[in-house]
Amino acid sequence: MGKLALSERILMNIEKPARYIGNEVNIVKKDIKDIDIRFAVCFPDVYEIGMSYLGIQILYDFFNRRSDTYCERVYSPWPDLDKIMREENIKLFSLETQTPISEFDWLGITIQYEMCYTNILQVIELSGIPLYAKDRKKGDTFVIGGGPCSVNPEPLADFFDMFYIGEGEVSYNEILDLYKVYKASDMTREDFLRKASCIPGVYVPSLYDVSYNEDGTVHAINPIYDDVPKTIKWQAVTDFDNVPYPMKPVVPYIRATQDRVTLEIMRGCIRGCRFCQAGMIYRPTRQKNVEMLKEYARIMLDNTGYEEISLSSLSSSDYEELDELLTFLIELRDNDHINVSLPSLRIDAFSLDVMSKVQDIKKSSLTFAAEAGTQRLRDVINKGITEENIIKGSHDAFLGGWDKVKLYFMMGLPTETDEDLLGIAELAEKISEEYFDTVPKEKRNGRVMINASSSYFVPKPFTPFQWAPMITPEEYIRRAYFVKDAFARQRNKKSLKFQYHDAEITVLEGVLARGDRRLGKVLYDVYKKGAIYDAWTEFFNMNRYKEAFDENDVDINFYVTRERADDEIFPWEHLDVGVSRRFLLNEWHNAKAGVVTPNCRQKCSGCGAAVYKGGVCFEAKN
Amino acid sequence: MKLRIKYEKTGVLRFIGHLDVMRLFQKAIRRAKLDVAYSKGFSPHQIISFAAPMPLGMTSEGEYFDGEFNTVTSTEDMMDRLNRTLPDGIKVHDIVLLNDNAKPSMAIVSASDYYIYKNEECETDIPEVLKNYIEPMMNKTSVEIIKKTKSKEVMSDIKPLIYEIKPYKEGIYMLLASGSKDNLKPELVIEALCNEADIEYNRYDYMIHRIETYMGESKALKPLSCDGKQF
């Protein structure tokens, strides 16, 4: 056991020192003498959140399979330690060997949500790496970003040497092989970046020039050299059964948010909900062989000692061998005392039967992601769930003994009217009435509870709604009150509850999601005003952002409430996720016309993801 | 069958809390494939319970927990299987099969002894300085110190709870009352010594290491593992 980076005095004066000591079960140990490349993977949030994220475990395992590479982990220090590190000039360090990140060859940051952008600046700065990529020299750490937000990384372009667009398993080896040549030779940093930009999926923002029109929209995005590709193509794994998966995930000492074995059963989603970015960028839908998953589950449980297992996918009900997998999980539960945590399944007789076996019905609630209050609006967003599905599902659930239902909605969806908002309250009321019709008086224990909650819709890049305006926070609040009032007028109002998300943070998410490079300076200024942990309401301060936007003369509404013209060039136009712009635009028009598009298994709609030559696009043809 | 397991917690794992140690052992028992008993219900959990919670920052070679097992092999085999899967810093030293009439460990803890030594990061060797104040302090009729409870601060005489205190190796040895009836934290004794020496008390000027956890009357203490036999 080596020495810790932090002193006894510091560790005993901060919350949860175990966040910073490493030494967890299943960490990889290597002798630095045998290593050519030191890679730090970072989830820019607190340890307990970062350790819950499957993607880091996959990459950690993937990189460490290389004998010439040692991958270690790093997370954002909590604000208490952040303050001490700044005061005492302590550099951010890796968990495994407690080495300053500035001594690493690479710092790879996963970018999962917009509100962690200030934490990214925190991690880079505390690491002792120059914040702006342009200030880094040969010998400095390369900062590379990945994850869903990297499909529009433009607000962060100034701070990253490169982004990896797509699923890491595909091209990372090529990047590291080229890096070894760079490190061992007198190749300049600029030459390396230029060569790397030709590797599929690698986006080097400094090699692209962005020009703007007078109205502020993007005029053109062009590579500054002829040998740099004009578009960067998202990388997707095609042989999904043979892609490496971490059989020995690192097990934290302190309780992580998701503290269990996670079994990835499927990547991508066949559904094509028009608001959902993951559903578009992770196309095509690919699933893993059920026999292999069973073996994985056993090995991972043995290697970790976890007493709980959960499935990971965007829509588990669409996994074709779900019945067999769930039967297996119930056996695990009965024979090996493994708790089974089920992701939200489509509610039908089968899934209710399974749920009743693995959950305490009295304590658990059923969830319906209805997303919108009327069928008209659900058609606009292509949400393939009907009111009939929801009522029938609730009916079955009430018969099964459940008496708590959760409903998820979004407000501010394109074309939304007051009638759609009223529909939210009416749907909740109908479900409660279904309860009273289904469950006779003598069988009712306590009160049925229908908990509806709504978020504030944010249009995301590479979705059909990338053209759509976001409603203003004032309008969002009006709609929230409108719905609240409607709930109060329902007959069973005592059994209904309505909650809605914070408006301000969501507006910023909207700005950053579809933002451009001009926001880099704003982010820098916000960070310098002290912003970190903006995803945490207790640390978020809207005034810092408002000041920074004002000082930089940036109009929030340009990014948020403006509907884009069909032919507008987006800040992410030079990235290509497989799903074509033509398809997305067509879907945007279909949305406005209320026309539904079938899911991938019903009928191929020619979205463009077939270029990856795998997954659902080829299932029927086999 | 009830077993009592004795273990050490040292090194950097001094920074993980009591509940984390519990979860660590639950997972280690599964990895070692020991046949532990589970409770019934929707969230079955292993039937194990810990003798004495250990504060963050302290190391120990005398920690215990009791566990209910459906089947057992031998002390040696079970220790070996656990130790092969435990992380650096946690090591099982002994496993005994409890006598039929043995009470749960947490109910019978009566004392613990500690070794207080210098924190290497600290310039002055505080335990070395305090050594000279043991006798003057213990010669007094009472040793008054402010004990902080959840709601209030009370003046309390800790002398009756100090069973033994003496210079030891590079620092100080102390045997103190511990458990649910009377409990004295070693930190309070060091604070009292600092008062005696008229120097400022600081928790990070010294390290605490628990040597053993005991049961029985203060005149006839024996380690918790004496409630059973190796098998």
Side-chain angles (χ1 to χ4, degrees):
Chain A
M1 225 178 301
K3 213 180 150 357
L4 296 177
L6 299 173
S7 68
E8 185 85 14
R9 176 182 52 82
I10 294 175
L11 284 163
M12 291 300 289
N13 270 310
I14 53 177
E15 257 181 68
K16 299 193 186 173
R19 286 166 174 161
Y20 312 106
I21 62 171
N23 282 285
E24 301 99 319
V25 170
N26 292 339
I27 61 163
V28 175
K29 293 174 186 169
K30 292 189 181 187
D31 191 337
I32 298 303
K33 289 200 298 290
D34 311 330
I35 294 304
D36 296 322
I37 304 169
R38 299 190 72 177
F39 200 113
V41 285
C42 172
F43 190 108
D45 206 318
V46 73
Y47 177 87
E48 298 92 303
I49 304 274
M51 279 299 285
S52 307
Y53 174 59
L54 175 64
I56 291 279
Q57 298 264 14
I58 291 179
L59 286 175
Y60 182 76
D61 169 70
F62 177 84
F63 288 131
N64 278 320
R65 283 173 192 239
R66 284 178 69 114
S67 60
D68 62 354
T69 304
Y70 186 14
C71 176
E72 305 183 40
R73 293 159 302 137
V74 60
Y75 302 97
S76 282
W78 191 245
D80 59 351
L81 180 60
D82 176 278
K83 185 165 172 282
I84 294 172
M85 291 176 86
R86 286 169 201 277
E87 283 166 2
E88 305 191 12
N89 204 17
I90 298 167
K91 280 188 179 177
L92 186 59
F93 51 89
S94 65
L95 292 181
E96 278 74 2
T97 61
Q98 305 270 308
T99 310
I101 302 300
S102 57
E103 291 178 24
F104 279 67
D105 299 284
W106 292 87
L107 168 60
I109 302 176
T110 181
I111 318 171
Q112 294 289 318
Y113 31 84
E114 291 79 6
M115 297 317 291
C116 75
Y117 288 3
T118 47
N119 278 40
I120 291 174
L121 301 195
Q122 173 209 27
V123 166
I124 298 174
E125 188 175 60
L126 288 179
S127 294
I129 301 168
L131 252 181
Y132 281 107
K134 64 176 166 51
D135 299 330
R136 296 176 202 142
K137 310 261 180 314
K138 180 139 188 170
D140 282 339
T141 310
F142 281 94
V143 182
I144 182 166
C149 291
S150 68
V151 299
N152 177 28
E154 293 305 282
L156 292 167
D158 294 344
F159 311 107
F160 281 82
D161 295 290
M162 58 174 86
F163 295 96
Y164 181 102
I165 312 299
E167 296 167 359
E169 297 101 324
V170 187
S171 286
Y172 253 120
N173 279 326
E174 224 177 308
I175 302 174
L176 296 187
D177 290 342
L178 177 67
Y179 176 78
K180 268 167 79 172
V181 176
Y182 157 81
K183 198 179 176 185
S185 68
D186 57 2
M187 192 193 291
T188 63
R189 199 174 173 98
E190 291 68 30
D191 278 348
F192 169 73
L193 289 171
R194 196 159 150 188
K195 285 202 169 72
S197 75
C198 298
I199 298 172
V202 173
Y203 168 43
V204 179
S206 59
L207 297 179
Y208 295 79
D209 180 59
V210 184
S211 57
Y212 299 92
N213 297 313
E214 251 175 50
D215 64 3
T217 55
V218 173
H219 173 68
I221 306 164
N222 283 309
I224 55 178
Y225 302 112
D226 290 343
D227 54 344
V228 173
K230 195 155 170 42
T231 55
I232 301 97
K233 292 193 166 56
W234 170 276
Q235 302 299 298
V237 171
T238 42
D239 188 1
F240 199 48
D241 275 333
N242 289 309
V243 69
Y245 197 74
M247 289 296 111
K248 289 181 103 179
V250 177
V251 183
Y253 292 121
I254 50 176
R255 195 189 281 282
T257 314
Q258 312 273 333
D259 202 18
R260 55 202 175 199
V261 165
T262 307
L263 200 57
E264 187 186 27
I265 61 172
M266 198 163 65
R267 224 176 260 182
C269 179
I270 59 169
R271 299 274 146 190
C273 298
R274 290 175 180 137
F275 55 84
C276 178
Q277 187 185 49
M280 294 294 157
I281 67 178
Y282 290 106
R283 286 186 172 209
T285 305
R286 291 144 292 162
Q287 37 188 8
K288 280 190 177 156
N289 174 281
V290 71
E291 291 305 323
M292 191 178 73
L293 288 176
K294 288 186 200 173
E295 193 192 324
Y296 279 11
R298 285 210 188 85
I299 297 174
M300 289 164 73
L301 288 166
D302 279 355
N303 285 342
T304 57
Y306 273 124
E307 299 186 304
E308 189 173 332
I309 188 164
S310 164
L311 305 179
S312 165
S313 79
L314 289 169
S315 167
S316 297
S317 291
D318 293 323
Y319 179 66
E320 289 183 306
E321 288 159 300
L322 188 69
D323 295 17
E324 192 176 339
L325 188 62
L326 291 178
T327 308
F328 166 76
L329 291 179
I330 288 168
E331 280 167 23
L332 267 186
R333 184 199 151 78
D334 294 345
N335 304 335
D336 301 303
H337 308 285
I338 298 293
N339 291 312
V340 176
S341 135
L342 292 175
S344 42
L345 295 174
R346 200 181 314 129
I347 306 300
D348 56 27
F350 170 71
S351 60
L352 285 169
D353 179 52
V354 173
M355 282 183 229
S356 68
K357 288 182 179 132
V358 304
Q359 297 173 345
D360 188 346
I361 292 176
K362 284 288 138 232
K363 285 182 192 153
S364 60
S365 59
L366 290 175
T367 304
F368 292 96
E371 315 294 4
T374 59
Q375 196 55 45
R376 186 202 70 79
L377 192 51
R378 281 193 294 273
D379 287 347
V380 166
I381 62 176
N382 207 41
K383 181 81 195 177
I385 185 173
T386 62
E387 185 169 305
E388 201 190 338
N389 297 148
I390 296 172
I391 300 294
K392 173 73 168 63
S394 308
H395 173 84
D396 291 344
F398 295 144
L399 278 181
W402 275 271
D403 52 17
K404 285 190 271 300
V405 173
K406 270 191 214 159
L407 295 169
Y408 290 142
F409 296 96
M410 283 182 279
M411 291 188 294
L413 287 163
T415 77
E416 184 177 73
T417 63
D418 284 357
E419 198 181 319
D420 301 310
L421 296 168
L422 208 54
I424 294 176
E426 286 169 358
L427 181 60
E429 168 70 16
K430 279 179 201 156
I431 295 171
S432 68
E433 285 169 11
E434 187 63 31
Y435 176 82
F436 294 113
D437 291 346
T438 309
V439 184
K441 243 194 183 106
E442 62 276 14
K443 287 203 173 160
R444 294 176 199 161
N445 302 312
R447 179 180 289 282
V448 60
M449 268 321 297
I450 317 294
N451 285 306
S453 70
S454 179
S455 61
Y456 180 177
F457 170 65
V458 179
K460 295 274 166 118
F462 294 106
T463 67
F465 291 163
Q466 62 185 344
W467 285 273
M470 192 168 158
I471 58 171
T472 62
E474 295 76 23
E475 174 61 13
Y476 171 74
I477 298 293
R478 184 198 70 81
R479 293 187 192 186
Y481 276 94
F482 181 84
V483 176
K484 232 179 161 39
D485 285 349
F487 268 80
R489 288 194 308 273
Q490 303 302 318
R491 202 147 49 100
N492 296 329
K493 59 176 179 278
K494 284 186 178 150
S495 295
L496 315 178
K497 216 166 111 188
F498 176 70
Q499 284 173 308
Y500 57 95
H501 287 199
D502 183 80
E504 284 184 325
I505 288 186
T506 315
V507 171
L508 278 174
E509 207 186 304
V511 176
L512 295 170
R514 292 189 293 173
D516 54 40
R517 291 190 179 186
R518 290 170 294 190
L519 296 180
K521 180 66 172 38
V522 177
L523 276 173
Y524 178 87
D525 289 349
V526 168
Y527 170 69
K528 286 294 173 188
K529 288 174 194 292
I532 48 168
Y533 282 92
D534 289 327
W536 298 67
T537 40
E538 64 263 51
F539 299 115
F540 173 73
N541 178 345
M542 186 63 180
N543 288 333
R544 289 192 192 117
Y545 278 90
K546 279 189 175 141
E547 279 173 35
F549 280 118
D550 285 348
E551 286 159 17
N552 287 285
D553 220 7
V554 169
D555 175 15
I556 294 182
N557 285 328
F558 171 79
Y559 296 97
V560 180
T561 53
R562 185 172 60 86
E563 177 166 350
R564 277 63 165 171
D566 284 1
D567 61 353
E568 177 169 334
I569 294 171
F570 295 121
W572 52 92
E573 204 65 52
H574 49 317
L575 305 184
D576 170 5
V577 300
V579 173
S580 68
R581 181 177 169 121
R582 189 184 47 79
F583 172 79
L584 293 173
L585 185 62
N586 203 19
E587 279 291 278
W588 173 227
H589 293 154
N590 283 342
K592 289 198 275 194
V595 175
V596 169
T597 297
N599 76 46
C600 297
R601 287 211 182 101
Q602 290 168 326
K603 183 177 175 289
C604 174
S605 301
C607 71
V611 295
Y612 295 110
K613 307 211 177 307
V616 67
C617 310
F618 294 86
E619 268 170 18
K621 292 161 195 136
N622 284 339
Chain B
M1 274 166 277
K2 284 194 175 68
L3 302 185
R4 182 160 295 159
I5 291 140
K6 180 183 185 181
Y7 66 95
E8 67 164 50
K9 179 188 172 200
T10 53
V12 303
L13 291 196
R14 68 185 180 278
F15 295 112
I16 70 168
H18 179 62
L19 291 173
D20 301 327
V21 174
M22 270 177 65
R23 282 209 309 277
L24 181 159
F25 268 108
Q26 285 162 2
K27 291 183 181 104
I29 287 170
R30 288 196 73 99
R31 289 196 299 269
K33 297 202 173 290
L34 303 186
D35 190 13
V36 69
Y38 277 82
S39 67
K40 305 275 176 273
F42 267 99
S43 311
H45 57 268
Q46 295 176 10
I47 305 174
I48 58 175
S49 63
F50 283 69
M54 199 173 138
L56 221 60
M58 191 195 285
T59 57
S60 172
E61 58 192 286
E63 296 302 299
Y64 291 89
F65 71 91
D66 296 348
E68 174 98 36
F69 289 79
N70 300 317
T71 58
V72 300
T73 53
S74 67
T75 296
E76 197 190 22
D77 175 63
M78 292 178 82
M79 259 173 66
D80 183 52
R81 274 153 73 178
L82 276 173
N83 283 334
R84 266 187 285 147
T85 188
L86 283 166
D88 289 351
I90 300 270
K91 193 167 179 233
V92 172
H93 285 295
D94 196 9
I95 304 182
V96 295
L97 186 61
L98 288 178
N99 305 330
D100 292 341
N101 58 357
K103 292 191 181 118
S105 54
M106 67 169 74
I108 53 170
V109 172
S110 60
S112 291
D113 53 2
Y114 307 89
Y115 171 43
I116 311 296
Y117 61 103
K118 178 186 174 181
N119 175 6
E120 290 302 329
E121 293 165 8
C122 197
E123 271 177 37
T124 20
D125 186 346
I126 297 293
E128 183 63 36
V129 175
L130 294 179
K131 271 180 184 175
N132 304 317
Y133 294 89
I134 295 174
E135 241 186 75
M137 182 178 84
M138 294 307 286
N139 283 339
K140 291 184 169 169
T141 46
S142 70
V143 179
E144 300 284 332
I145 187 99
I146 297 167
K147 260 191 174 177
K148 290 189 185 91
T149 62
K150 273 175 207 134
S151 51
K152 56 184 186 231
E153 294 182 350
V154 283
M155 223 30 180
S156 164
D157 176 16
I158 59 171
K159 196 179 166 191
L161 303 182
I162 305 175
Y163 300 150
E164 195 183 347
I165 181 165
K166 63 185 182 194
Y168 176 69
K169 291 203 251 179
E170 308 290 305
I172 298 170
Y173 169 90
M174 50 179 82
L175 174 66
L176 310 175
S178 182
S180 50
K181 195 162 148 271
D182 292 313
N183 192 54
L184 177 57
K185 291 182 194 162
E187 292 95 317
L188 277 181
V189 181
I190 297 295
E191 200 181 330
L193 279 170
C194 284
N195 291 347
E196 189 67 33
D198 201 22
I199 56 176
E200 196 189 332
Y201 171 80
N202 189 342
R203 170 62 188 89
Y204 317 109
D205 289 349
Y206 62 91
M207 310 288 280
I208 310 175
H209 180 74
R210 178 142 61 195
I211 302 165
E212 183 58 271
T213 310
Y214 300 95
M215 55 189 220
E217 295 294 315
S218 61
K219 296 280 177 271
L221 293 171
K222 46 185 188 174
L224 285 187
S225 49
C226 292
D227 242 358
K229 284 190 182 63
Q230 293 196 347
F231 51 100

